Amino acid sequence: MEEMEEELKCPVCGSFYREPIILPCSHNICMACARNILVQTPDAESPRSRRASGSAASDYDYLDLDKMSLYSEADSGYGSYGGFASAPTTPCQKSPNGIRVFPPAVPPPAHPQPQHHLLQHPGSFPPIPRNSCITCPQCHRSLILDERGLRGFPKNRVLEGVVDRYQQSKAAALKCQLCEKSPKEATVMCEQCDVFYCEPCRMRCHPPRGPLAKHRLVPPAQGRVSRQLSPRKISTCTEHELENHSMYCVQCKIPVCYQCLEEGRHSSHEVKALGAMWKLHKGQLSQALNILSERAKEAQEFLVQLRNMVQQIQENSVEFEACLVAQCDALIDALNRRKVQLLSRVNGEHEHKLKVVRDQIAHCTVKLRQTTGLMEYCLEVIKENDPSGFLQISDALIRRVHMTESQWGKATLTPRMTSDFDLTLDSGPLLQTIHQLDFVQMKVPSTVPAAPILQLEECCSSSNSATLSWKQPPLSTVQVEGYILELDDGNGGQFREVYVGKETMCTVDGLHFNSTYNSRVKAFNKTGVSQYSQTLVLQTSETGLNPCELKSLGAVAWFTFDPSSAHPDIIFSNDNLTVTCSSYDDRVVLGNTGFSRGVHYWEMTVDRYDNHPDPAFGVARIDTLKDVMLGKDDKAWAMYVDNNRSWFMHNNSHTNRTEGGISKACTVGVLLDLNNRILIFSINDEPQGPIAFEKMEGLLFPAISLNRNVQVTLHSGLAIPEFYIQRHVEHPTSLC
C-alpha cells in the first residue's frame, strides 16, 4: 500500500488530496489548490470565443488550448501567457512534488485593511473573477473557466474515498469498545454486532455458543474496511444539479443525466446504460491489471536473478583471483611485477560488472515500485461502487496501465551483464617472455567496441530528412552487436536516440525545416557501449517565407502519400502519388512528411469525380481519425467541397460556406503558412473563401479524405502561388 501514496498526493501542495476535482485532461487537483493557481485573463479576452467547460471531456477544445499551452510542440520550449496582464510579473514556483506551478498575480490593495476583515468563515471561498484561467500543473494545458467556475469540474469521489481509506489504514490500532478502563487492542470484530472486542471481552460478552455462535467474527482491519465501504452514492449532474446521472455519453466519455439528453448538447450523441458501461470499463481495467500483474511478477523474478548475479560475480571474482595468484607466484620474482598488473585488470572487470548490474537493479527497482503503486491504486479504484465516479477516471487509468505494461518489455527484463569472467591465463610461455605475459585468450566480446567512424561522403540532408552512414575502424577486431544513432532537437538541445540496430546507414525523416541538427553514433555489445563518434552537423532545407524574395521563392518539400498510416481501404498507385478508395465511406490518408515550420504549398488534381461526392482536403495530426471525413475530430483542419460549394470544418464544426465546387480535372491547392500560422485553400489557382484557419501550430501532415467515387493525384514541391505572393506584397506588415 505504501507505493500507492504517490498516486494520492496533490501535485501542487504535495499533501493528500482534499476535495479533489477532475480537470478535462484527466488529472486531479485539490479544490483549494485550484483556486490558488487561477489566473485572471484581460477583460478584452472573449470567454465566449475560447470557452472551455470543466464538466465534460468533449468541451476540452484542444485547438484553443494548444494556443495557450505552456509547451510549444514546434520548439519544445517553455512559453508564457502573452495576453495575460499578470504573466510578465508572476514568478514560477515549484510544488513539493517538483511540478511547475503558476500562481495568480494578485495586485496589492490600495489601502491596507484590518486583519479581521480578511478572515472568512471556514469552508467559504472568495468569488472567482470573470475570465479566470487554470493551468494543469502536470500537463500544462490551460483553459478559461465558464460562469460556473470550479463548480463546473466534477469531483473525484473515487479518489477521495481511496485517500480516506488509505489514511485510516495507517492510523493507530483499533481498541476494544467494551473495556471499561484503558481499552485493550481489539482482536476481532463481529459483523452482526458491529463491535470491536479484545480477547477477554469476547470470551465474556460474545461466547461462541448459543445464538451468538452464528455471528461472523473477522480481523479488526477487515472490519474497519467494511465499515468504510459506504453504499453506492447517487451522483448528480454538474449542469443540472437536481438530476442524477442515468446514462453514459460514448462520444464525450462522461456520465449524463436525462435532462442532458433532452435539452443539452448530448441530445444527438450516442449514449449507453450507465451500469453496462461501468461493468465494461471495470472489466477492461481488470484485464489490463492482469497483464500488468504478470509483468510485475516477471520483474520480481528478474530482480531476484540480478541479485543472485551479484553473489555469483563476487564468488567468481574470488575464485579467479585465487587462481591467478597461484599461477603468478609460480613464475618467481619476475612474474610478481606482472601479477600486479593482471590483478588490476581483473578488479576493473569486477567493478565494471558490479556497476552495470547494480545500476540495472536500481533502475528496475524504481520502475517496479512505481508499477506496484499504480496496481494498488487501480485495485482500490475497482473496489468503488460509484459507477459515474469510476467512469470519470477509468479511461485515464486504463491508458496508464497499458503504458506501464509496455515499459516492461523484453529488453528491460534482460540482464545487461554476464556473471562469468571471460579471462583465461596461459602459464606455459618460457621465462624469457615473462615480461610480455598477457591474457592471450578472451571470450568474444571481451571489450567494448571502438568508436564508429562517420563516412562523411555518404552523409547528407534533403528536404526535412537526414541520412547518415558509418563504419567500424579498419583494425578493430571486437565484435559489435549494434549501433545507437542520436540527434539533438535541431535547436542545440539534448540528444535523443533515433535509431538502434545493426545497420550502418540510417535515414531520419520528419525533421524541422531550416534547422541545424547535431548527430553522433556509438557501438555496443554485451560488454558495454563505445565512445561516441565525431559529431556531424546537418542542415535541413529552408522553406521560410522571405519578404524580400517572395517572387522567386519555391518550396522544396517533396512528399508522397503514406501507406503505413492510411486507412486499409485506401488504394495507392503511381508511386504513392495517386489515391482512391474501395469503400463508399470517407477514408483518410496522410502525407509521409510533417511540417512544423515554414511555408508549404501543394496541389491535388481530381482525376475522377463521379456522383457528386464531397472529398475533404487539408492538414491533420498523425493520430487523427482515419475512418471518418477529414475535420470530424479536433486533430484535423479541412475544406470539404462538392460540385457547387465548399465549407471549412474542424472538430465537426462547419463554417464559411463558399460558392464554387470541383469537377474532373480541377486542381485543389493547400497553402500552410506556419510562419503566420494560417491555412488557405484554392481551387484552380483562385482563393476559395477567406483564410480558413488561424493559429495553426504543432506537427501537421498533408491529408485528404475521399471515397470510391473520387481519385486524386498529389503534386508537391511547388512554388508559392501568385495570389498569396500578391497579398503579402500589398500588405507586407502581415509578415512581421
Side-chain angles (χ1 to χ4, degrees), residues 520-571:
R520 62 189 185 184
V521 64
K522 58 184 178 181
F524 65 89
N525 58 21
K526 291 182 179 179
T527 303
V529 181
S530 74
Q531 297 294 322
Y532 285 106
S533 67
Q534 61 179 338
T535 300
L536 179 64
V537 179
L538 294 169
Q539 174 72 40
T540 55
S541 302
E542 297 184 5
T543 60
L545 198 64
N546 188 336
C548 301
E549 299 177 352
L550 282 170
K551 294 288 186 178
S552 59
L553 178 64
V556 294
W558 288 275
F559 58 92
T560 64
F561 289 116
D562 183 17
S564 63
S565 62
H567 192 279
D569 293 340
I570 297 294
I571 301 174

Side-chain angles (χ1 to χ4, degrees), residues 302-477:
F302 180 62
L303 285 174
V304 172
Q305 179 184 353
L306 291 178
R307 293 188 179 101
N308 291 337
M309 285 185 63
V310 173
Q311 182 64 27
Q312 294 172 5
I313 291 174
Q314 297 281 11
E315 295 174 355
N316 292 343
S317 174
V318 173
E319 180 181 353
F320 191 83
E321 288 181 14
C323 179
L324 180 62
V325 169
Q327 290 178 335
C328 291
D329 287 344
L331 298 177
I332 59 175
D333 296 338
L335 188 59
N336 287 333
R337 292 189 297 269
R338 191 62 176 171
K339 178 182 64 176
V340 175
Q341 300 175 8
L342 297 176
L343 280 174
S344 135
R345 293 183 57 182
V346 173
N347 289 330
E349 180 78 2
H350 170 211
E351 294 299 328
H352 174 69
K353 287 179 177 288
L354 288 179
K355 182 179 182 304
V356 172
V357 175
R358 284 170 176 164
D359 289 347
Q360 192 172 12
I361 289 175
H363 176 70
C364 290
T365 300
V366 172
K367 290 184 64 176
L368 181 59
R369 184 175 66 251
Q370 295 172 348
T371 300
T372 305
L374 177 59
M375 290 171 55
E376 291 179 353
Y377 172 60
C378 292
L379 290 174
E380 291 297 325
V381 170
I382 291 178
K383 294 178 183 179
E384 285 297 317
N385 295 325
D386 180 6
S388 61
F390 177 85
L391 291 173
Q392 288 172 337
I393 64 175
S394 58
D395 283 320
L397 283 179
I398 292 171
R399 288 195 301 270
R400 287 188 59 191
V401 169
H402 283 305
M403 184 181 301
T404 304
E405 186 273 333
S406 65
Q407 293 175 355
W408 287 106
K410 184 177 181 181
T412 307
L413 301 179
T414 301
R416 300 175 185 170
M417 180 61 62
T418 62
S419 59
D420 296 332
F421 276 74
D422 304 329
L423 303 172
T424 301
L425 182 65
D426 184 2
S427 59
L430 299 174
L431 288 178
Q432 60 266 28
T433 61
I434 194 170
H435 292 289
Q436 300 175 355
L437 181 65
D438 200 352
F439 295 107
V440 297
Q441 181 181 356
M442 298 181 180
K443 297 180 181 179
V444 178
S446 58
T447 58
V448 298
I453 298 176
L454 289 173
Q455 302 190 86
L456 302 181
E457 65 279 4
E458 298 184 15
C459 299
C460 63
S461 62
S462 174
S463 187
N464 65 333
S465 300
T467 299
L468 293 100
S469 178
W470 58 88
K471 63 180 181 180
Q472 276 297 101
L475 300 179
S476 176
T477 59

